[in-house]
């Protein structure tokens, strides 16, 4: 009797244990569903984070002109790092990669000539630099620059453009009038001297670029940021961004929708800007 009793008791224990494990499994599977309030709170957190990044960290821009070819093409869409060149904040310092503007940096900035216009160029001179061009070649502090990124197409024989600042601005009518009056005060010998908190910039497509040679220095406070990478590039006519009518915009949007796959420049997607 005793052996049978022991066996039955053990068997009963096994059954109970199995039932207990099954019950625990059901409890684990029946997770409480997310409430509407919790879902909206999660969505709000995502939106606030995205808004913060877009507002303070990154901003999307599209390239409207050929002045930076072949580094940036018309129709390239880039994300710009807005933080890197911003004034340093002590409470964010350890978290943000602040640094000063360097030679060769490509920057997006507000035009000193046209309020509200965003422009993209490459930094050639920082405060204290001495700049001049001879036959289209840039010399900085007496040294000839090696610029493999420069596109010399359409680099017509323009004495002012290619021998800056040797040609007196009064002899050239393509300058912004404010710069035409200010330019002589920054010339020392054969060079243009970049003043404090100002930058001298030029486009990579030198023959067509309207840059610091024509409208002057970039004020430090006008800097927006540095393009990081191309997130999308679409084959775009050179005059597309000069078409301002609603019909032209709707027509081009329709064209993008129809030809998104065959006219997107896939090889340029996610390319870093250098």
């Amino acid at each position: 009797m005793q052996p049978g009793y022991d066996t039955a008791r053990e068997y009963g224990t096994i059954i109970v244990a199995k039932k207990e494990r099954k019950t625990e499994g059901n409890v684990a599977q029946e997770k409480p569903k997310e409430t509407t309030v919790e879902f909206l709170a999660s969505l709000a957190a995502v939106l606030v984070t995205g808004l913060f990044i877009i507002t303070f960290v990154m901003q999307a821009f599209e390239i409207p002109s050929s002045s930076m070819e072949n580094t940036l093409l018309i129709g390239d869409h880039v994300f710009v790092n807005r933080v890197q060149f911003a004034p340093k904040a002590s409470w964010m310092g350890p978290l943000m990669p602040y640094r000063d503007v360097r030679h060769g940096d490509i920057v997006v900035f507000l035009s000193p000539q046209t309020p509200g216009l965003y422009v993209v160029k490459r930094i050639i001179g920082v405060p204290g630099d001495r700049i001049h061009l001879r036959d289209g070649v840039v010399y900085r502090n007496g040294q000839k620059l090696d610029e493999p990124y420069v596109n010399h197409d359409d680099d017509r024989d323009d004495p002012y453009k290619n021998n800056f600042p040797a040609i007196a601005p009064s002899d050239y009518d393509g300058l912004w009038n404010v710069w035409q009056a200010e330019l002589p005060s920054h010339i020392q010998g054969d060079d243009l001297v970049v003043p404090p908190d100002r930058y001298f910039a030029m486009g990579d497509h030198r023959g067509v670029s309207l840059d610091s040679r024509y409208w002057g220095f970039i004020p430090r406070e006008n800097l927006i940021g540095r393009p990081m990478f191309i997130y999308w590039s679409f084959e775009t006519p050179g005059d597309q961004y000069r078409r301002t009518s609603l019909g032209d915009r709707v027509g081009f949007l329709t064209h993008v929708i129809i030809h998104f796959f065959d006219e997107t420049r896939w090889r340029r997607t996610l390319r870093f800007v250098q």
Side-chain angles (χ1 to χ4, degrees):
M1 294 295 295
Q2 282 301 111
Y5 179 79
D6 290 342
T7 302
R9 185 175 61 183
E10 291 171 1
Y11 181 78
T13 302
I14 293 171
I15 295 297
V16 171
K18 285 185 176 180
K19 287 183 177 181
E20 288 176 353
R21 286 197 296 269
K22 186 175 180 181
T23 302
E24 290 173 357
N26 290 339
V27 172
Q29 291 175 2
E30 294 178 2
K31 296 180 180 178
K33 295 182 179 180
E34 187 178 42
T35 66
T36 302
V37 173
E38 291 173 336
F39 170 76
L40 292 176
S42 300
L43 180 61
V46 172
L47 292 176
V48 169
T49 302
L51 183 62
F52 174 84
I53 292 174
I54 293 174
T55 304
F56 298 105
V57 180
M58 289 196 302
Q59 187 171 350
F61 288 91
E62 52 188 310
I63 306 302
S65 76
S66 61
S67 68
M68 283 297 292
E69 290 180 347
N70 292 314
T71 305
L72 293 170
L73 306 180
I74 298 174
D76 281 351
H77 293 66
V78 299
F79 274 127
V80 171
N81 182 341
R82 292 174 54 92
V83 174
Q84 196 162 45
F85 301 145
K88 294 183 180 181
S90 58
W91 63 280
M92 289 288 283
L95 303 177
M96 295 299 183
Y98 295 112
R99 71 168 174 82
D100 292 331
V101 180
R102 300 171 183 167
H103 294 136
D105 280 339
I106 297 175
V107 299
V108 173
F109 56 95
L110 283 168
S111 168
Q113 178 184 8
T114 308
L117 176 65
Y118 292 101
V119 185
V120 58
K121 302 292 180 188
R122 188 183 295 273
I123 297 296
I124 303 300
V126 300
D129 281 340
R130 304 174 68 93
I131 306 291
H132 74 262
L133 281 76
R134 288 294 177 270
D135 299 324
V137 177
V138 180
Y139 292 81
R140 183 173 60 223
N141 302 324
Q143 300 294 318
K144 176 182 176 181
L145 298 189
D146 179 20
E147 300 182 288
Y149 44 78
V150 170
N151 179 356
H152 288 288
D153 289 351
D154 298 324
D155 196 1
R156 295 178 290 274
D157 185 18
D158 184 328
Y160 178 85
K161 176 184 301 182
N162 294 323
N163 294 279
F164 177 86
I167 306 300
S170 58
D171 297 335
Y172 192 81
D173 59 3
L175 277 64
W176 182 33
N177 56 355
V178 174
W179 177 236
Q180 190 173 46
E182 180 186 347
L183 175 56
S185 66
H186 298 290
I187 297 176
Q188 295 182 13
D190 295 331
D191 296 309
L192 177 79
V193 180
V194 184
D197 294 324
R198 298 290 185 271
Y199 300 93
F200 185 88
M202 299 174 69
D204 288 356
H205 196 175
R206 294 286 161 80
V208 302
S209 175
L210 295 178
D211 46 44
S212 286
R213 294 170 290 181
Y214 298 91
W215 39 252
F217 302 113
I218 305 171
R220 181 74 175 82
E221 60 270 19
N222 283 35
L223 294 178
I224 300 298
R226 183 174 65 87
M228 300 170 59
F229 61 90
I230 300 168
Y231 67 88
W232 181 49
S233 181
F234 189 80
E235 295 179 11
T236 304
D239 63 344
Q240 177 58 42
Y241 296 100
R242 293 193 294 271
R243 301 175 183 177
T244 58
S245 70
L246 179 61
D248 287 336
R249 292 182 178 181
V250 172
F252 183 65
L253 178 59
T254 303
H255 178 85
V256 170
I257 294 172
I258 295 174
H259 295 281
F260 177 83
F261 291 102
D262 59 298
E263 293 190 17
T264 289
R265 304 184 186 109
W266 296 105
R267 291 184 178 181
R268 298 185 64 80
T269 302
L270 301 183
R271 177 181 294 186
F272 286 98
V273 178
Q274 299 178 343

